[in-house]
Amino acid sequence: MSATTSRPRGALVGRLLFVMVALAMSACGAEWQEAKSLRMSCEEGDASACNELGQRVLRGERVLQDQPRAASLFEQACEGGMAGACVSLALLYEDGTGVTQDLEQAADLHRQACEGNAMEGCVHLGVLYQDSAGIGQDFALAAGLFQQGCEGGAMEGCTNLGVLHQDGTGVTQDFTRSVDLFRQACDGGEALGCSHLGAQYAVGAGVTHDVVRASELYERACDGEAMVGCFNLANLYATGAGVTQDFDRAAELYREACDARHAEACFRLGDLYATGTGLDRDLSRAYRLFRRACRLGYEDACRKE
């Protein structure tokens, strides 16, 4: 009985494997044709096709990853009037990815993008002026660029302008204004804006002090992959402020932020292991976390290595 039923079952499995391979080959062929079509359109002068192909080449998405080629494609798209491609090329010049690092060239490209109504270019140019990255520090100019980006729908600009108003850097210090900007950014899906808004609720700056509301905003920021939100939420769980104290949850959040290279999160997690606070004491693991935090730039951890 089993001998007679095994052959059909084996045949069925073989047929399913054949179908799966055929589908995979078909998908691969379709993706190759799509990339080929983008390349041909780009060669014919379609700037949007050059930009799309550049993004795929940069990520190695269904094509061979090639950073210098991506830069060349972005340059072609930028010259063809795709302002967003100018931003992508500028970011490569900022990092020295696929091109020789050149912050002045990055600034010129972000400026070109901003003038072409790519609002993210305005924001990135503002960051360069804020950080004095090779083009001279000018907080007032940075604030103007952040405002331009914010008004144009680039929510990161709202967050950055909010930080300037919070600190009184380049603009008048105004906590109410910073709250409004952080709320606008957060409502627009900018996770870092949620974290900054939460921090103002946590200390009662420009809003009524409300740690519970702060925890909700930190959670939202963390869910949006803003690691400072995860870190701030972990601090609340570790202390029991605004939430029920939960060291396991705090450790989980610290670990998530640490894995994303948040230096102080590595330190705080190491401290939990070193002291055995809510976790089994593990000095070896604590040492590794302190060493990682130190290498990521958190100086207090260097003294504990």
Side-chain angles (χ1 to χ4, degrees):
M1 184 75 173
S2 61
T4 59
T5 58
S6 63
R7 282 195 294 270
R9 187 177 301 142
L12 179 59
V13 170
R15 190 172 300 168
L16 286 172
L17 286 172
F18 175 80
V19 170
M20 291 171 65
V21 169
L23 287 172
M25 291 179 67
S26 175
C28 183
E31 291 165 0
W32 181 83
Q33 286 293 341
E34 189 177 3
K36 181 181 178 182
S37 177
L38 285 172
R39 178 175 57 79
M40 292 177 64
S41 296
C42 177
E43 290 172 352
E44 292 170 359
D46 185 341
S48 63
C50 296
N51 183 53
E52 174 63 23
L53 185 58
Q55 297 291 350
R56 294 189 183 198
V57 170
L58 181 63
R59 299 189 297 264
E61 183 180 303
R62 304 185 183 97
V63 292
L64 182 67
Q65 188 176 41
D66 186 336
Q67 294 168 341
R69 185 177 176 227
S72 178
L73 288 162
F74 290 145
E75 183 173 17
Q76 191 172 343
C78 178
E79 291 174 351
M82 285 288 297
C86 302
V87 176
S88 297
L89 181 59
L91 292 174
L92 296 185
Y93 274 108
E94 281 190 45
D95 298 335
T97 301
V99 293
T100 302
Q101 188 178 45
D102 187 335
L103 296 177
E104 289 186 4
Q105 177 69 1
D108 287 343
L109 286 161
H110 284 315
R111 188 174 293 108
Q112 182 178 342
C114 182
E115 291 170 354
N117 292 318
M119 292 297 105
E120 63 270 28
C122 306
V123 176
H124 285 294
L125 181 59
V127 171
L128 290 179
Y129 277 114
Q130 182 182 30
D131 295 343
S132 184
I135 62 171
Q137 195 169 57
D138 189 329
F139 289 114
L141 185 53
L145 287 161
F146 292 151
Q147 182 163 340
Q148 186 176 350
C150 179
E151 291 174 351
M155 293 298 102
E156 186 181 351
C158 305
T159 298
N160 291 352
L161 183 58
V163 171
L164 294 185
H165 276 290
Q166 187 179 52
D167 299 337
T169 305
V171 292
T172 303
Q173 187 176 49
D174 186 337
F175 292 120
T176 301
R177 176 68 174 142
S178 65
V179 165
D180 289 342
L181 286 161
F182 292 147
R183 183 174 289 114
Q184 183 178 349
C186 183
D187 290 344
E190 219 276 301
L192 193 57
C194 301
S195 182
H196 281 295
L197 182 58
Q200 295 215 208
Y201 273 103
V203 297
V207 289
T208 303
H209 178 254
D210 188 339
V211 184
V212 173
R213 179 62 178 145
S215 71
E216 293 168 351
L217 287 160
Y218 290 152
E219 180 114 35
R220 188 170 170 184
C222 184
D223 289 343
E225 299 185 358
M227 289 301 107
V228 66
C230 302
F231 173 74
N232 290 339
L233 185 58
N235 287 337
L236 295 186
Y237 275 108
T239 59
V243 293
T244 302
Q245 191 173 47
D246 185 336
F247 289 109
D248 286 338
R249 179 63 175 146
E252 179 185 341
L253 289 161
Y254 283 139
R255 187 173 294 107
E256 183 176 351
C258 177
D259 288 345
R261 302 178 63 81
H262 189 294
E264 191 175 353
C266 300
F267 174 78
R268 297 295 174 194
L269 181 58
D271 206 41
L272 291 182
Y273 278 112
T275 59
T277 304
L279 300 173
D280 291 336
R281 195 169 187 232
D282 189 332
L283 294 179
S284 177
R285 182 171 291 183
Y287 173 81
R288 291 196 299 271
L289 287 160
F290 290 147
R291 182 171 58 185
R292 178 171 172 77
C294 177
R295 289 177 177 174
L296 289 172
Y298 192 72
E299 292 184 5
D300 286 354
C302 302
R303 293 189 285 271
K304 289 202 171 190
E305 271 197 283

